Amino acid sequence: MNVLVTGGAGFIGSHVVEHYLNHGHEVFVIDNLSTGNRENIPFVKAENFFEEDICDLDLVGNIIKEYQFDLIIHLAAVVSVVDTINNPVDSNEVNITATLNLLESNRLYNNNIKRIIFASSAAVYGNNTQLPNSIMKLVNPISPYAIQKYAGEQYVKQYSNLYDIPTTALRFFNVYGPRQDPKSAYSGVLSIMQSSYLDEKPFTFFGDGTQTRDFVYVKDVVQAISLVADSDNAIGHVFNVGTGKPSSLMEVFEFLGNVLEKDISTNFVNEREGDIKHSYADIQELSNLGYFPKYSIEEGLYSYINESTKKEIGV
Ligand code: UD2
């Protein structure tokens, strides 16, 4: 198959690219490297890598016309909630307009398309307190990011209903794993925690560490993508992608300390404004398609540590 991964040089995208290459497909990437990194995907041929902006609507349309992709996994986005609050208009272009353009380009120019998969987010649930978060429940988008992801997934869904374009949207919960960049204060907390341990620097808890999240290992996210891509029953639907189990920040912190046999100092500061206290996914619909998270939080953290320490010592 010809597979296009937008945002393929990013954290999640690079794992998706690797998966499809390992399965013998021809993989193409569009990524403007604004947050992605070409070094994440050395295995992608130069001629299959387009260092281009997903907002360049004509260019994206031409690429689609030319390569007639079978499968498109659309991950390119402004992924930071804070960036969307600071730049609601620009992020709207990336997260909604470019998504709509991608759908429309396929409608107009690509009869070959077998599936478009869109990365939505648990952010659409906002601070709903009725847990687990289920796709049957109301959404409550409380940031431009959440609004944009919700709009994107609804466009994706309606392109299936209105125009018969086979699409699926996935609401990712808290994804973690190798190649997640810990450098920004708004990076995934597990990447920050892990690099604090490896560098033996203090870790700061926002709040008391009792908040919980559904931390899902990136390889299970890849499993979910590949599963829905192959399932006709997933067409026109939205699914949660998590493990279905919450873990507290403090539990994870202590587990990492035990495994790494390190004791780092901690600071406790006020919780972040608008922070959600508890969140986890109802994954029933995805399970009905055959999804089973292969990595418990413990197994995922082991794998993450192994990969990261291998990299540190240059293996
Ligand atoms: C996640 C997504 C975000 C959005 C949101 C919607 C990630 C990285 N972010 O935000 O894009 O979809 O869900 O609900 O997946 N924390 C600390 N210390 C740190 C950093 C974080 O205590 O140094 C806390 C943070 O205040 C929060 C928890 O850890 O309570 C998880 O933080 P996060 O930024 O990894 O993810 P979250 O759920 O806030």
Side-chain angles (χ1 to χ4, degrees), residues 121 123 174 188-189 203-206 211 213 249 272 275-276:
S121 165
N174 290 66
V189 66
F203 176 76
T204 301
F205 284 93
F206 301 126
Q211 64 266 54
R213 293 290 186 274
L249 227 50
R272 274 182 187 157
D275 199 34
I276 294 161

Side-chain angles (χ1 to χ4, degrees), residues 5-24:
V5 184
T6 74
F11 155 49
I12 300 175
S14 64
H15 289 272
V16 174
V17 168
E18 204 173 358
H19 169 85
Y20 280 99
L21 279 175
N22 288 341
H23 284 77

Side-chain angles (χ1 to χ4, degrees), residues 138-160:
L138 283 179
V139 296
N140 181 23
I142 52 174
S143 63
Y145 177 75
I147 295 168
Q148 293 157 9
K149 284 292 170 185
Y150 189 62
E153 71 172 47
Q154 296 304 307
Y155 266 127
V156 160
K157 192 171 162 183
Q158 295 315 327
Y159 259 68
S160 165

Side-chain angles (χ1 to χ4, degrees), residues 79-81 121-124 126 145 172-175 180 185-190 192-193 203-207 211 213 215 249 271-272 275-277 279:
V79 292
S80 152
V81 175
S121 165
V124 301
Y145 177 75
F172 295 161
F173 278 66
N174 290 66
V175 188
Q180 189 169 32
Y186 290 93
S187 300
V189 66
L190 298 193
I192 298 174
M193 203 182 267
F203 176 76
T204 301
F205 284 93
F206 301 126
Q211 64 266 54
R213 293 290 186 274
F215 293 111
L249 227 50
E271 60 188 50
R272 274 182 187 157
D275 199 34
I276 294 161
K277 186 75 183 173
S279 153

Side-chain angles (χ1 to χ4, degrees), residues 205-272:
F205 284 93
F206 301 126
D208 60 6
T210 60
Q211 64 266 54
T212 57
R213 293 290 186 274
D214 189 335
F215 293 111
V216 55
Y217 195 54
V218 66
K219 294 205 170 133
D220 277 327
V221 172
V222 172
Q223 184 209 152
I225 290 173
S226 124
L227 185 78
V228 298
D230 291 339
S231 167
D232 285 348
N233 293 332
I235 294 174
H237 292 286
V238 180
F239 297 89
N240 283 336
V241 182
T243 63
K245 296 200 174 74
S247 306
S248 82
L249 227 50
M250 189 52 83
E251 271 165 16
V252 173
F253 181 80
E254 286 171 357
F255 179 81
L256 276 178
N258 288 336
V259 173
L260 291 165
E261 296 177 348
K262 286 188 180 181
D263 196 5
I264 56 171
S265 60
T266 49
N267 303 311
F268 289 86
V269 299
N270 287 342
E271 60 188 50
R272 274 182 187 157

